[in-house]
Amino acid sequence: MSTEARPERASAARLPARTIALYAIGSLGTGGYATLPGLVLTYFLTDNLGVAALAAGLIVTSAKIWDVVIDPLIGAASDRQLARTGSRRGFMITGAMTLPLFFALTFAVPPSWGPTAGAICVLLAFLATATSFSLFQVPYVALPAELTGSYDERTRLLGWRVIVLTAAILLFGAGGPELRRAGPDQVIGYLLMGIAAGLVIGIGMYVASKTADAAASRVAPASPTEHPPSVREQYASGFRALRRSQPFRALLTTFLLQALATGTMLAGAQYVATWVLRSEDAVTLVFLALVGPALLATPGWTSIARRIGKERAFRIASAVFTIAAASITAAVWAPGAWIYASVAVAGIAYAGLQSLPMAMLPDVISHDERTNAPGQAGTFTGVWTAGETVGFALGATFVSLTLAATGYVSTVAGATAQQPDAAVTGIALSFSILPAVLMAASIVALSRYRLRRSDIEA
């Protein structure tokens, strides 16, 4: 690829408030897509369509594996679009315009179609939804490295993004189930939820695509001097990025493990509300306990990162989350409202887990640009998004495997079932000790991250 597309950045220039606001609004899309399917899709399949727990987990995992396949290709194609036009916006708009339809179709399948037909239709619709989201998300994650070269400005940019992200988690995590109950029955309720949520996600994605224009003003379009690379070469470029950048390997491994931990808790939240706290509506309170503290804590993590560095702040946030998740293990023997307190502590840490690694990724990309060729941010973010997707996908898979192994009883809409004690115990453990172990492993991976402020601002 031509090196004429090198971003022209002022390393210490302060980003305009408009640019930060437009970029942050994109988290309405990322927060909604990450939260609502992870929260209710497996439950929709097992307790509305009557799909077996193991099959439900495989459906969610299959769609996420598709993300892993296409994300590196989208990243490489986004880099070529940037070199050719000076902007990544085309892919982002395509994703924003198509996602609302596919998202609504995912939750439009009625129980009357039967578990098999219903499962197939949900799988196809969710595959299309995942494709639309990747078209937006991969270039979206690449933009911070092109918007500013400042170590602290990236923390500021991503800090505001996470404030909107946590608000989106609250909006979709608490509002989604409320919309589901707004319909005359559960079937219509899920459809209303899918339509409304899809529209909000798409609007957030479309607004954020305008940020690509701000990045475009710092990038000079280049005339490609070579034929477009083959699919094999596009995958190979991602593997080369992993091989040559030790900081990227360490940060990606950390983030993947943490996505797996939080994805496991997210997929288990509805089951915890229904069978541990004995109230399907309690899922709203779980999200209030998680997101309320996170909204307040994000500026604090930004301030801590400026004082002691993103890496140390990230390590502290990870340790706090590990302790909070592990404490919920006591729910196996003594379930109760005290769980909300542990979730709130996890919420404080969660704000740091979202903002800090996303602010560190542009540092990794710019470090690689100085030591290798520029114009490969999309390649990095394609691999990054694929890794994040694997984590969240396997989180849902772990929960579904736990349900299947402990004898969870699936039902259709309107029917009730009594769960065995082993299933309830498995639900509690998948929401507590399993995420804690995964988070502890991520701290070990993070210890291998070597970049510091001096490396970025040199």
Side-chain angles (χ1 to χ4, degrees), residues 292-338:
L295 278 170
L296 299 175
T298 299
W301 287 115
T302 300
S303 178
I304 292 171
R306 285 177 177 169
R307 295 172 70 90
I308 67 174
K310 302 173 195 178
E311 312 77 27
R312 293 177 63 189
F314 189 23
R315 192 174 297 113
I316 292 170
S318 302
V320 172
F321 191 97
T322 302
I323 295 169
S327 70
I328 302 175
T329 307
V332 173
W333 303 279
W338 64 266

Side-chain angles (χ1 to χ4, degrees), residues 358-449:
M358 293 302 296
M360 293 159 69
L361 178 60
D363 295 340
V364 170
I365 294 172
S366 65
H367 179 265
D368 182 76
E369 283 187 346
R370 288 202 303 271
T371 55
N372 296 282
Q376 300 186 65
T379 298
F380 276 86
T381 57
V383 176
W384 176 272
T385 305
E388 179 183 16
T389 299
V390 167
F392 279 111
L394 292 180
T397 303
F398 279 11
V399 171
S400 65
L401 289 173
T402 301
L403 295 176
T406 54
Y408 185 85
V409 180
S410 298
T411 60
V412 297
T416 58
Q418 181 65 38
Q419 301 298 340
D421 291 341
V424 177
T425 298
I427 289 168
L429 292 177
S430 67
F431 193 74
S432 55
I433 194 65
L434 179 55
V437 170
L438 292 167
M439 193 63 65
S442 78
I443 296 174
V444 176
L446 181 59
S447 67
R448 297 180 58 81
Y449 182 83

Side-chain angles (χ1 to χ4, degrees), residues 55-210:
L58 290 175
I59 288 171
V60 176
T61 303
S62 297
K64 298 299 186 179
I65 290 174
W66 173 244
D67 273 348
V68 175
V69 172
I70 63 174
D71 284 351
L73 301 180
I74 292 173
S78 178
D79 283 340
R80 293 198 303 275
Q81 184 182 67
L82 176 70
R84 186 177 65 254
T85 68
S87 175
R88 301 181 186 273
R89 193 181 182 197
F91 280 13
M92 298 173 73
I93 291 179
T94 301
M97 299 301 291
T98 56
L99 183 139
L101 172 62
F102 297 137
F103 194 91
L105 289 175
T106 301
F107 294 98
V109 180
S112 59
W113 289 10
T116 302
I120 293 172
C121 290
V122 169
L123 173 61
L124 294 176
F126 197 47
L127 282 173
T129 304
T131 302
S132 295
F133 181 73
S134 289
L135 287 171
F136 168 82
Q137 178 72 355
V138 172
Y140 176 69
V141 176
L143 292 179
E146 293 157 4
L147 287 168
T148 177
S150 168
Y151 180 91
D152 287 326
E153 278 300 284
R154 288 169 179 165
T155 306
R156 174 172 167 249
L157 174 67
L158 274 301
W160 281 106
R161 179 201 165 189
V162 169
I163 289 175
V164 177
L165 177 66
T166 51
I169 292 171
L170 176 60
L171 173 67
F172 289 96
E178 291 298 323
L179 280 174
R180 181 181 60 189
R181 289 190 288 271
D185 57 55
Q186 199 170 31
V187 177
I188 300 300
Y190 272 113
L191 178 59
L192 289 173
M193 181 193 73
I195 293 172
L199 286 172
V200 174
I201 292 171
I203 291 170
M205 292 163 63
Y206 180 80
V207 171
S209 71
K210 298 178 182 296

